[in-house]
Amino acid sequence: MEMEKRIKLELRNKAPEEVVELVIDNSRSSDGEVEGLTDGFKELQFLSMANVGLKSLAKLPTLGKLRKLELNENDISGGLEVLVQKCPSLTYLNLSGNKIKDLSSVEPLKNLKNLKGLELFNCEVANLSEYRESIFDLLPQITYLDGFDQEDNEMPDSEPDEDEDDDEEEEEDEDADPSGEYEEEGSEVGEEEEEEVGLSYLMKDDIQDEEDDEDYVGEEEEDEEEDARGEKRKREAEDEGEEDDDD
């Protein structure tokens, strides 16, 4: 499919200024130039044009917010200064599998101050002696070349600056006042204290009730004993009366 038609298809009835990511891999450029992209894609941050037959970037529109650009498996051999003019915010650039032969072709990228990751494997320039050292010297702003830094640490899946942004956001979240959580925990503690107080109160009531019952039982026993003594005295008096009658 032609590149221009593919872009229209990928828009899916959206306006260009609404698009943040655009993938048109394996479409075809009729003359080796960028086709169908305009300055209207001003919010575009990710663009992938892998294996589309590109030979030149001269017709690339201004994409001021573009951060990640995939241009692997094309026929680009130079003209990278266009990226400095049109895509100044680039942090990652994939040029693997292109026809870049020497360091001078890569040199314009030193003016991409935000560039952190660069892919050049499967390009002829990658076969040069001390290739990695030369690229890191030529482009001191980059951290990762062909997926690894100078100490052979692998590049994370996301862009380096995105990881830094995520770390900053996490720190901000940790520093933020989690009052809601504390309030919730506090309310739970309060409820537990209320339950304990209520339970203690009920237990005190039960204990008091038991003591009252014991007192009541004690009073009943005393009354019964008193009644028994009264009955005994009454019987003794009756018996004495009967003895007097006999006399």
Side-chain angles (χ1 to χ4, degrees):
M1 182 182 293
E2 293 180 2
M3 184 185 295
E4 190 168 0
K5 290 182 179 180
R6 175 70 179 277
I7 290 173
K8 290 180 179 178
L9 180 64
E10 293 295 333
L11 281 176
R12 303 179 189 278
N13 297 321
K14 291 183 179 179
E17 58 269 20
E18 297 178 288
V19 179
V20 177
E21 297 186 4
L22 183 62
V23 178
I24 53 174
D25 297 347
N26 303 311
S27 58
R28 287 290 98 189
S29 170
S30 59
D31 57 0
E33 299 277 2
V34 176
E35 301 171 346
L37 278 178
T38 67
D39 292 341
F41 289 86
K42 57 186 178 181
E43 298 297 325
L44 198 61
Q45 296 182 26
F46 173 82
L47 174 61
S48 184
M49 297 189 291
N51 190 32
V52 297
L54 281 181
K55 296 178 181 179
S56 170
L57 297 173
K59 293 184 179 180
L60 187 71
T62 298
L63 303 170
K65 293 187 178 181
L66 192 68
R67 293 158 58 87
K68 187 172 183 179
L69 180 59
E70 301 272 2
L71 294 172
N72 46 303
E73 307 304 325
N74 283 293
D75 298 319
I76 299 169
S77 59
L80 300 182
E81 60 275 1
V82 172
L83 296 176
V84 179
Q85 300 168 8
K86 303 295 181 67
C87 308
S89 300
L90 275 184
T91 61
Y92 173 84
L93 176 61
N94 188 349
L95 290 168
S96 60
N98 277 277
K99 295 183 177 180
I100 298 172
K101 299 179 180 181
D102 49 50
L103 295 174
S104 61
S105 300
V106 181
E107 188 173 4
L109 299 179
K110 67 183 180 181
N111 294 314
L112 283 172
K113 303 302 182 183
N114 298 311
L115 190 65
K116 301 298 180 185
L118 177 64
E119 310 284 352
L120 290 171
F121 60 90
N122 290 338
C123 293
E124 287 188 41
V125 68
N127 297 325
L128 296 177
S129 176
E130 298 183 350
Y131 151 70
R132 289 183 60 81
E133 293 82 355
S134 299
I135 293 294
F136 279 119
D137 288 342
L138 184 64
L139 308 174
Q141 81 276 29
I142 70 169
T143 303
Y144 299 98
L145 175 62
D146 298 335
F148 295 88
D149 65 12
Q150 295 187 66
E151 284 74 38
D152 289 332
N153 296 311
E154 190 172 3
M155 183 174 69
D157 292 336
S158 58
E159 295 177 54
D161 60 326
E162 285 184 354
D163 289 339
E164 292 172 3
D165 291 343
D166 291 342
D167 292 341
E168 290 177 1
E169 289 178 2
E170 288 177 2
E171 290 177 2
E172 289 176 0
D173 291 341
E174 290 174 358
D175 294 339
D177 179 19
S179 56
E181 294 179 3
Y182 290 156
E183 288 177 1
E184 184 176 348
E185 292 176 0
S187 63
E188 291 178 358
V189 171
E191 290 175 0
E192 291 176 358
E193 291 177 352
E194 289 178 1
E195 290 177 0
E196 290 177 0
V197 171
L199 183 59
S200 300
Y201 183 76
L202 292 174
M203 290 176 66
K204 288 180 181 178
D205 284 350
D206 292 340
I207 293 171
Q208 187 63 43
D209 290 341
E210 290 176 0
E211 292 176 352
D212 292 343
D213 291 342
E214 290 175 0
D215 293 340
Y216 181 73
V217 170
E219 291 175 359
E220 286 185 345
E221 290 176 352
E222 291 177 0
D223 291 342
E224 290 175 356
E225 290 176 359
E226 186 66 29
D227 291 343
R229 286 195 293 269
E231 289 291 332
K232 183 177 180 181
R233 286 195 295 269
K234 184 178 179 182
R235 286 197 298 272
E236 289 175 352
E238 290 176 350
D239 293 339
E240 290 177 357
E242 290 175 356
E243 288 175 0
D244 291 340
D245 291 340
D246 293 338
D247 292 341

